[in-house]
Amino acid sequence: MTDTTLMKIIKDHENRGWSKASEIKKHGYGLGCLMIWKKTEAPSQGVKVGLINDK
């Protein structure tokens, strides 16, 4: 996955309500960043965490 593709995936996640919570860093054999879910429609569910990785 190229840097351009990774940035597109991050932007797509942000458009669905996720927020980027870290810089893009090496993760395993590729790159990744921490994303957190902060939509206000479901506050009782708390904060969800996901990792976008280019492996």
Side-chain angles (χ1 to χ4, degrees), residues 5-40:
T5 303
L6 183 60
M7 294 305 296
K8 181 188 178 309
I9 291 170
I10 291 170
K11 185 56 73 181
D12 290 344
H13 276 70
E14 288 173 336
N15 290 338
R16 291 192 300 266
W18 289 84
S19 296
K20 190 170 128 188
S22 74
E23 295 301 314
I24 296 171
K25 301 176 188 176
K26 286 185 181 180
H27 185 267
Y29 293 105
L31 299 171
C33 72
L34 181 68
M35 303 288 292
I36 58 173
W37 178 258
K38 288 198 205 177
K39 278 260 189 184
T40 58

Side-chain angles (χ1 to χ4, degrees), residues 37 41-48:
W37 178 258
E41 288 89 44
S44 62
Q45 293 182 348
V47 176
K48 294 180 182 179

